[in-house]
Amino acid sequence: RVSHESVKKVHYDPKLQRSPDMFVTANVSRTPKGYFALGVLPLLLQQSTDDPARRAHRDLVVASMPALMEHPPSVPAFRPVPGIAASDLINEVMWHL
């Protein structure tokens, strides 16, 4: 199960290495020119945890969302968005498949 602790373990792993050519399961170095807008890549998910650009981005994110800090003062309980059901999210993703 995904938890704050399990997510934090990945984001703060100082030795997690990622290939800048891979995004999820796609090798972006093989995508046609123009497929991604200039400057979009690399995405945060493509950067190793010790990459200075990723660390700067992480610091910006945790400044605006303190619950994502390595040692947050508190972690609020999860609250689903009112009026949104799990089936809504599933249907939104399924139409892409």
Side-chain angles (χ1 to χ4, degrees), residues 80-81 83-95:
V81 178
I84 303 284
S87 59
D88 297 326
L89 298 174
I90 292 167
N91 290 335
E92 188 65 28
V93 171
M94 292 299 289
W95 81 268

Side-chain angles (χ1 to χ4, degrees), residues 41-84:
L41 299 177
L43 297 171
L44 192 62
L45 293 174
Q46 294 170 267
Q47 297 172 324
S48 299
T49 53
D50 60 354
D51 184 310
R54 186 188 175 285
R55 287 181 173 266
H57 186 271
R58 183 192 68 198
D59 291 345
L60 180 63
V61 168
V62 299
S64 60
M65 293 182 272
L68 298 178
M69 296 172 69
E70 186 171 11
H71 303 290
S74 65
V75 178
F78 174 77
R79 293 182 310 183
V81 178
I84 303 284

Side-chain angles (χ1 to χ4, degrees), residues 9-10 12 15 20-21 26-27 37 43 56 58 60 66 77 83 86:
K9 188 181 240 182
V10 171
Y12 287 92
K15 304 220 187 279
D21 290 335
N27 186 335
L43 297 171
R58 183 192 68 198
L60 180 63

